[in-house]
Structure formats: C-alpha cells, structure tokens
Amino acid sequence: MRDQTSTEMETATPGVSRPAGPVAYVTGGYPKVSHTFIQREVAALRALGLDIVTCTIRRPPPSEVVGAAQQAEAARTFGVLEAAKNPLHLLAAHARVLARSPGRWAGAAALAWRARSDGLKAGLWQLFYFLEAAVLARHLQRTGAVHLHDHFGSSSCTVAMLAARMAGLPFSFTLHGPDVFFEAHRWRLDVKIAEARFVACISAFCRSQAMLFSAPEAWPKLHIVHCAVDPDRYAAGGRDGCSLLFVGRLSAAKGVPILLDAMAELAVSHPGARLALIGDGPDRAALQAHAVRAGLSDRVTFAGYRDERGVAEALAGADIFVLPSFAEGLPVVLMEALAARCAVVTTRIAGIPELVRDGETGLIVPPGEAGALAGALGRLLDDAPLRQRLAEAGRAAVEAEFNLAHEPAKLACLFAGDAP
C-alpha cells in the first residue's frame, strides 16, 4: 500500500470520516489548467488526511500543465494509456487480473457488453475501454486502493466502472454536465449510476438530471457536493467603475457573440465601458472579426490565456463579471468572480441560479438575448451601490456554500461509507 506523506498525515483534520486506505482519482486528462478545481479538491482531501492516488487516462499536453505545482502533480499521476500502449504491459495486466479473479474479469466483460451504446463504432470503443480498465485495475491493486472515483461521467467513467469491477472495489463519480446529459444513452448514465456506490452531483439541477436517467431506487445515492474555491485566494483590488470581464473558452457554448452584441448596444449609453476576454478557443478568430465589424476594437480586448494567478488578478480589478453561456454545469469561474467581490451577470441555465440568485448575489438574464444582457450590464454600470451590495452578498454565498474548507469533507465521508 502507498504510504501517506508526512505532510498529509500532519494536516489530517480530526473528526472527519476517512476511508481505510487510498482513494484513487481518475479523469480523462489530469492535471491540466482547465481542470484546476479537481487538483484543488485532491489537495483539500489530502489535507484532510486522505491518501489520494491520482490517475489519468491520457496525459495532457505540456502546454496544459502549467506551473510547478501542476508539474509535480503530473509526475505523481499514473497514465493509463501510457502504460496500455505497451502490448506486453497490456497483456500482462489482463493476465494478472484474470489470474487473481477470473470471475471479476468475466463480470467486467459482461458489464462492458451491457453498458455499450448502439452501433459498431460504440462497441469498438467499449472494447478499448475494457482493455484500458485492466491496466487501471492492476494499478489499483498495486497501490492498495480501497475506492475509485471519477470526474465527469463520460469515457473515463466507463473505464473506472470496469476497472473497479475487475479490482473488486467500489466506485463513484462526480457528475457535472451538460455534455454528458446531451448523450446520456451513449454514456449509459443509467448503468453507471446503478453500479456506483454514490454519485456526487455538483448542483440540484445536476441531481435532477441524474434522477431523470436513473431508476428511483438509485436516487438515494445521488448527493449534492459542490465544486468549490478557497475564497481567501481572491480579493478586490482597484476598480474604475467601467471594467467588464469574461473568462472562459472561446467556443459556441459560452455565448460570446451575444456579449459582443450587448457591448455594441452599450456603446452609446456607456462609452467608457471596457470588456476584457480572458481565454482562448476555436472561435477566437471569428469573435475578433465580429468585434471589428461591430466597431468594438477600442472597447474589447482579447487577452488570451491567463493562469490561475492571472485570472485572480484580473478579477480583482473588474467591476462586473459576465458569463452569457448557453450550456454549463455550475461554473467554478462564477464562484471565483463572486469570491473576488465582482458583481456578476450571467444566464438562467442549469445550476447557475443556485449560485447566482437574481437580484441577491448577481443578475440573471435569459440566454441568447443581447438586449436583456445589455440592460443588466447598463444597470450595474449606472448603480455603484447595487454593484457593491451584490458583490458582498456573492462573496458571502461562496464562503457559506461553495467553500473548499467544507465541500471536500462531504466527499471524505462518502468515501468512508458515511452520509455527509
């Protein structure tokens, strides 16, 4: 069994339930900058005294592993495909699992067949997941893991479910959405929820979708465990009353064209308003062209990628954070913005209203409506006391409900088999 480091042992928190051995975490790509919240969760669980063994199906490219902390985490993370690409290693993993428990290996094969989706291509992918699962199962046996946990519920979760069956371990997963809900049958959420010891749902909306795709007898295992941030990492800085900020991937789901149209509407009534967009993505060139056509070249800045510290610094100087998304789970960046005491404008979709309560911790507008978005932004630009009231209430909401000091302890209890 893997030993806990002295730091992990020294920072263990009394009174928090902990499992009897290591808990393995797996995702499709870990660690990487876009999923820093998972790394924070892992660090918080280690601080609670849990021994967390990190695994990744594929290693992210070096450009997505940023900073010394992520590089160190990458070095201690087991790569499944990296090992599976060696045919001898792959065959040896299956042989060892089969020799140790032929019944579990056969049970995993039957589960893989039952959990496949329609079509030949899907069946071939299921075979690949089954092959990868033995490599992960063998690693779990070597580390003495007592539980396996996945994030997201899609392909890595399929591998996790099969690996846990081969290794004779319970498994669980954190369900985010929205993409997995769009293809619930493809990813066989019904089977995964039925097989899991528990499912951590990031919002009540997320839990409702899990209920939609599972049998009622499985509903008691659906628990709300929020993604979370450390509010102390975020503080307000100097603000000028006209700075707007967007942080996110420049892709269709984020609704940035609507934001640019709203900025064009604000040009006359609020000529001093300025928007910075942090992030990159496939739509960047098209969005830059959109901004030029709309006459926004001197009002909108495409700042590109920024690391965690850079985002925190940008939030400290922003008066208003705006996220006009069409599809989300419950964005961590909204938690960060509220923690930094930004007034927030976002859309009424998925779990967002559970964090941003309209008129209380921010303003919410219908998705896809540039006029409504421009109206909400103009309202905040005109009303500094309203911005301040929303900002303070938003910070308090994050401290109370989306705090890294509280949420990981719920997971620790679930890993130990207790109710959080």
Side-chain angles (χ1 to χ4, degrees):
M1 182 180 293
R2 212 171 65 98
D3 292 332
Q4 290 174 298
T5 65
S6 58
T7 300
E8 289 165 349
M9 294 300 291
E10 290 168 3
T11 56
T13 303
V16 174
S17 298
R18 288 181 286 275
V23 173
Y25 257 55
V26 64
T27 69
Y30 177 88
K32 61 181 181 179
V33 68
S34 58
H35 295 161
T36 303
F37 67 93
I38 301 177
Q39 189 175 347
R40 293 176 190 158
E41 182 177 283
V42 166
L45 289 167
R46 286 172 175 156
L48 291 172
L50 278 72
D51 185 9
I52 304 296
V53 177
T54 53
C55 310
T56 182
I57 302 300
R58 65 191 63 82
R59 293 202 180 275
S63 61
E64 295 187 28
V65 182
V66 178
Q70 281 203 338
Q71 290 164 1
E73 187 72 358
R76 71 189 294 185
T77 298
F78 175 74
V80 175
L81 279 178
E82 191 175 53
K85 286 179 180 178
N86 182 329
L88 293 178
H89 192 117
L90 180 62
L91 290 171
H94 276 272
R96 288 167 181 160
V97 172
L98 185 57
R100 184 165 180 167
S101 179
R104 288 203 295 260
W105 186 92
L111 177 59
W113 178 258
R114 180 163 57 89
R116 76 194 190 285
S117 57
D118 299 331
L120 177 60
K121 185 177 179 179
L124 288 173
W125 277 111
Q126 200 74 349
L127 174 61
F128 296 149
Y129 300 147
F130 177 76
L131 293 173
E132 295 166 20
V135 175
L136 179 56
R138 180 59 181 157
H139 184 69
L140 299 176
Q141 292 168 345
R142 285 173 173 161
T143 58
V146 298
H147 189 99
L148 176 59
H149 187 75
D150 172 79
H151 262 270
F152 299 116
S154 52
S155 58
S156 64
C157 192
T158 303
V159 177
M161 177 177 68
L162 300 176
R165 177 65 71 92
M166 289 185 189
L169 300 180
F171 106 101
S172 56
F173 62 103
T174 296
L175 187 57
H176 294 256
D179 53 334
V180 72
F181 301 139
F182 300 155
E183 299 182 291
H185 178 71
R186 175 189 175 191
W187 297 119
R188 293 310 303 267
L189 279 185
D190 56 336
V191 175
K192 288 171 179 172
I193 293 170
E195 287 288 314
R197 170 182 280 181
F198 70 85
V199 180
C201 303
I202 65 166
S203 66
F205 174 83
C206 177
R207 183 177 61 181
S208 74
Q209 300 307 288
M211 295 170 80
L212 178 62
F213 297 114
S214 61
E217 54 266 26
W219 294 354
K221 66 173 73 175
L222 305 175
H223 299 268
I224 296 175
V225 181
H226 295 130
C227 297
V229 298
D230 178 1
D232 293 338
R233 287 178 175 264
Y234 302 92
R239 289 167 171 164
D240 60 12
C242 59
S243 298
L244 281 64
L245 179 65
F246 164 93
V247 179
R249 183 167 169 77
L250 300 183
S251 61
K254 299 298 181 179
V256 178
I258 301 300
L259 175 55
L260 295 178
D261 290 344
M263 286 296 296
E265 287 194 35
L266 288 170
V268 176
S269 59
H270 298 82
R274 297 291 183 271
L275 169 67
L277 298 106
I278 291 179
D280 213 335
D283 293 349
R284 178 169 178 168
L287 291 170
Q288 288 176 315
H290 186 145
V292 171
R293 289 194 304 272
L296 297 172
S297 298
D298 61 341
R299 297 165 58 84
V300 175
T301 301
F302 288 81
Y305 165 79
R306 294 290 184 273
D307 62 15
E308 185 179 7
R309 178 176 295 180
V311 169
E313 291 172 352
L315 288 170
D319 296 283
I320 301 169
F321 182 83
V322 55
L323 189 69
S325 296
F326 302 147
E328 290 284 359
L330 184 52
V332 172
V333 70
L334 282 177
M335 302 172 199
E336 295 172 334
L338 292 173
R341 293 184 170 86
C342 288
V344 164
V345 178
T346 187
T347 45
R348 187 178 290 107
I349 59 169
I352 286 178
E354 298 172 42
L355 170 64
V356 182
R357 295 183 280 274
D358 191 33
E360 181 182 342
T361 60
L363 298 182
I364 292 184
V365 298
E369 295 190 12
L373 182 60
L377 293 173
R379 179 183 173 192
L380 289 181
L381 288 167
D382 290 337
D383 194 336
L386 175 60
R387 291 200 306 269
Q388 182 67 23
R389 177 173 65 80
L390 295 177
E392 292 299 329
R395 167 78 182 203
V398 171
E399 290 177 337
E401 302 174 54
F402 301 88
N403 197 324
L404 204 58
H406 307 146
E407 296 303 300
K410 297 178 183 178
L411 275 176
C413 290
L414 290 166
F415 291 143
D418 299 332

